Amino acid sequence: MFSIASYATENVAPPAKLTISYIDHPSVLHQALPLVAQAYQAERINVDFVAIPSHRLINEIQAQHIDGDVILAKEIFSPYKELISVGPPLTKVQFVLLCVEGVPCNQQVLQTSPKTILATDESMRVILNKFPTSRRNRYYQLNQLGRLPHLLQEKRFEYAIYVMSSSWPIPQALEHLNRHTLFETPAYHVIHKRHAAIADKIAPRLTAILAKQRK
């Protein structure tokens, strides 16, 4: 656990500890989470990182039960004014259509005959907004993003909407699945806007860590 940092904001007492959520996803666990943890450690801010299903985390931040999330795609958090991005994008992410072998795997899947598509609540919302014709499909909602590829491998579904980094290693669970990129978007560390002063401290730390990684 990290030690407490000394920081102050006008008329606002700093929290003794922040609680920041993350989802069970290989790139979050092995790339984003260590990066964000390093930034808070550099500022000596005490943080608890807690795993939360994707459909709960935004409501939990809005209700101020938790203080932020390790990494969210811009399309996921931008409709919610209580959430602010911290620093530069940690990576760009792709919303992809995952497909089992032997079935069509392209954007037409969203537009032609109805399919059953596995997706989290938030991914489904984004896809329906981006691709209105995809409403003719049936969506089976499961809010554990890391589980989606395994259900396709077990042949329980043929299609899923998945989110993956454009630059970090491809999760091993995708090795035997086909994928079609639907669109790409930046992904940021986010916190509740009441912690804007903390965001101002963490942003340059993230910038420096990302710059060092790229050398």
Side-chain angles (χ1 to χ4, degrees):
M1 197 62 60
F2 308 143
S3 58
I4 300 295
S6 59
Y7 54 86
T9 59
E10 186 176 347
N11 299 323
V12 178
K17 181 185 291 185
L18 296 180
T19 301
I20 295 176
S21 63
Y22 66 90
I23 64 169
D24 182 10
H25 183 293
S27 295
V28 175
L29 294 174
H30 302 303
Q31 303 290 334
L33 178 55
L35 193 159
V36 171
Q38 184 180 347
Y40 281 93
Q41 187 174 28
E43 281 296 319
R44 296 183 298 127
I45 297 175
N46 200 7
V47 179
D48 271 344
F49 292 97
V50 296
I52 291 183
S54 58
H55 70 293
R56 284 179 45 202
L57 64 89
I58 288 179
N59 286 339
E60 292 289 299
I61 299 171
Q62 288 181 306
Q64 300 184 33
H65 297 155
I66 61 175
D67 300 295
D69 190 73
V70 166
I71 183 170
L72 287 176
K74 181 180 179 182
E75 270 76 8
I76 297 291
F77 72 85
S78 59
Y80 304 97
K81 302 309 178 186
E82 295 87 351
L83 278 65
I84 58 173
S85 60
V86 183
L90 302 184
T91 186
K92 288 185 177 180
V93 296
Q94 298 171 345
F95 280 72
V96 301
L97 179 69
L98 293 183
C99 318
V100 299
E101 294 180 353
V103 301
C105 196
N106 51 56
Q107 196 162 314
Q108 291 298 111
V109 170
L110 300 181
Q111 300 167 339
T112 55
S113 58
K115 311 291 183 187
T116 298
I117 300 177
L118 188 60
T120 67
D121 286 358
E122 290 296 334
S123 293
M124 182 186 71
R125 177 182 61 78
V126 170
I127 292 300
L128 292 177
N129 184 58
K130 286 272 188 182
F131 306 97
T133 57
S134 69
R135 294 181 183 276
R136 68 187 65 186
N137 292 292
R138 296 179 294 272
Y139 287 88
Y140 187 94
Q141 292 155 262
L142 178 69
N143 290 294
Q144 295 176 325
L145 187 62
R147 283 282 299 146
L148 270 55
H150 300 287
L151 294 178
L152 266 63
Q153 290 175 338
E154 295 167 3
K155 308 296 185 182
R156 295 176 62 180
F157 297 88
E158 292 184 334
Y159 295 101
I161 301 297
Y162 194 69
V163 185
M164 56 183 285
S165 170
S166 306
S167 55
W168 294 338
I170 296 173
Q172 187 175 3
L174 305 189
E175 287 183 355
H176 300 293
L177 297 171
N178 296 324
R179 58 187 182 274
H180 173 75
T181 300
L182 299 169
F183 69 95
E184 186 176 70
T185 187
Y188 298 82
H189 172 44
V190 299
I191 62 175
H192 193 282
K193 65 181 181 181
R194 71 190 174 108
H195 296 310
I198 296 176
D200 289 342
K201 291 180 175 292
I202 296 301
R205 293 291 188 180
L206 291 175
T207 300
I209 293 167
L210 289 167
K212 186 175 181 180
Q213 286 185 346
R214 294 185 183 116
K215 287 183 179 179

